[in-house]
Amino acid sequence: MEQKWVYLVILALIWGSSFILIKKSLLGFTSLQVGGLRIVFASILLFILGFKSLKTLSKTDWKWIVVAGLCSSFFPPFFFAIAQTQINSGITSILNSVAPLFTTMVGLALFGFAIKGRQVLGVFVGLLGTVVLIAAGMEYNPNQNYWYSFFIIFSALGYAFNINIIKKHLAHLSPLAVTTASFGVAFFPAFILLLYSGVFYQFLDTIAMQQSIWYLLILSLVGTALANILFNKLIKLSSPVFAASVTYLIPLVAVLWGFLDGEHMSLLQLLGGLIILFGVWLVNRKKKLL
């Protein structure tokens, strides 16, 4: 019981810092390059650490790994980078808080998990908060394109599928094996996109890339490779919704980093974020409110 909370806090600190690292990485690289390099660097470290663990996967396991890997290890790194070209890092982290709500919805609809009345209420409250946050952002920051919020929402949906798949079909595997295999699925398409982006030819002649590479390395090795191993361990130790609840704490860390970096948000945006977190709390609450 105590162990899962330790994992939760560590992940919140790591992933809460990932948004500012993406922002700093984008100062030197394009969103395509940030997403691709994040996957490739993380994959290399994971191959070194966990290549032998791939022997434990069966053909059936690989079927689910392909789906989970695309949902969590391939698309989100690109989507987050694309979104943060238009939206502040703090707002992005708050939008990511819909992940537990989607985890509940996907678990109910596709994986046969039970859901209670208050959890349904929590889902709707959380989605209301998302609408408030996006609408307030469009008004408070008209120079930012909040349609890019959907990249975060699609990423959260991908995480929801990943969490439910791991809990339902891959719980018998080690967290290292699941993480390594998932990034193995993402590695080759990401590498092809990197070749297309021209990053390997531009790096030596671009000072901004050379300065941003350190942020990207930390993001890849700690915020992606290590964090995903810890997260898959957390899924194994707890319930899918509890694991997704790391998004409770992520915005606190991310918004603080954003504030230190000069980002601001309106009271209505903060209200939207609080509504989202209240919805997530309702989904996770064990005792009835009445």
Side-chain angles (χ1 to χ4, degrees):
M1 184 63 69
E2 293 180 359
Q3 191 176 19
K4 71 177 185 180
W5 284 101
V6 172
Y7 278 102
L8 191 76
V9 172
I10 292 174
L11 280 167
L13 292 173
I14 294 175
W15 272 337
S17 302
S18 293
F19 297 92
I20 194 67
L21 291 172
I22 293 173
K23 181 179 180 180
K24 296 299 183 182
S25 299
L26 286 168
L27 296 176
F29 298 92
T30 67
S31 56
L32 180 63
Q33 292 167 346
V34 169
L37 287 172
R38 183 180 179 183
I39 293 170
V40 167
F41 287 150
S43 297
I44 292 172
L45 176 60
L46 288 167
F47 291 157
I48 294 172
L49 296 176
F51 185 77
K52 292 182 179 179
S53 67
L54 297 180
K55 297 178 181 179
T56 61
L57 275 70
S58 67
K59 291 182 179 180
T60 302
D61 293 333
W62 276 108
K63 176 184 68 174
W64 292 110
I65 282 289
V66 169
V67 178
L70 291 175
C71 287
S72 68
S73 302
F74 179 71
F75 288 111
F78 290 106
F79 285 174
F80 275 98
I82 293 171
Q84 284 194 223
T85 62
Q86 299 293 325
I87 306 173
N88 286 342
S89 59
I91 298 298
T92 304
S93 70
I94 295 174
L95 284 168
N96 188 50
S97 298
V98 299
L101 308 179
F102 287 162
T103 300
T104 301
M105 295 167 65
V106 170
L108 170 67
L110 300 177
F111 292 88
F113 293 124
I115 186 171
K116 299 180 180 179
R118 70 181 182 287
Q119 292 179 310
V120 175
L121 175 62
V123 168
F124 281 106
V125 169
L127 294 178
L128 172 63
T130 303
V131 172
V132 171
L133 182 65
I134 294 173
M138 288 180 173
E139 181 177 351
Y140 183 71
N141 296 307
N143 59 316
Q144 296 185 23
N145 189 345
Y146 270 75
W147 288 108
Y148 279 65
S149 300
F150 285 99
F151 284 106
I152 305 303
I153 292 172
F154 289 141
S155 295
L157 186 60
Y159 290 144
F161 275 97
N162 173 64
I163 292 170
N164 280 291
I165 287 171
I166 291 175
K167 193 66 179 179
K168 179 95 174 183
H169 300 287
L170 302 173
H172 58 285
L173 299 172
S174 72
L176 181 59
V178 172
T179 309
T180 303
S182 294
F183 275 88
V185 170
F187 176 82
F188 292 104
F191 189 77
I192 291 172
L193 289 174
L194 279 178
L195 290 176
Y196 170 78
S197 75
V199 66
F200 300 114
Y201 305 102
Q202 300 168 4
F203 182 77
L204 292 178
D205 298 321
T206 308
I207 300 298
M209 284 186 174
Q210 296 170 16
Q211 294 173 339
S212 295
I213 191 67
W214 303 109
Y215 297 110
L216 193 48
L217 281 170
I218 297 172
L219 174 67
S220 304
L221 303 182
V222 179
T224 306
L226 175 61
N228 274 278
I229 294 173
L230 295 177
F231 186 61
N232 289 334
K233 177 67 172 179
L234 178 62
I235 296 172
K236 196 168 185 177
L237 287 173
S238 63
S239 69
V241 175
F242 181 89
S245 295
V246 68
T247 50
Y248 272 137
L249 305 177
I250 287 175
L252 301 178
V253 180
V255 169
L256 177 60
W257 277 116
F259 177 77
L260 294 175
D261 199 51
E263 295 182 6
H264 300 284
M265 61 180 67
S266 69
L267 291 177
L268 192 55
Q269 286 177 301
L270 287 174
L271 176 62
L274 290 174
I275 293 173
I276 292 173
L277 294 178
F278 178 63
V280 176
W281 177 76
L282 284 176
V283 168
N284 285 271
R285 184 176 168 83
K286 291 184 177 180
K287 296 181 180 179
K288 293 184 178 180
L289 293 174
L290 299 176

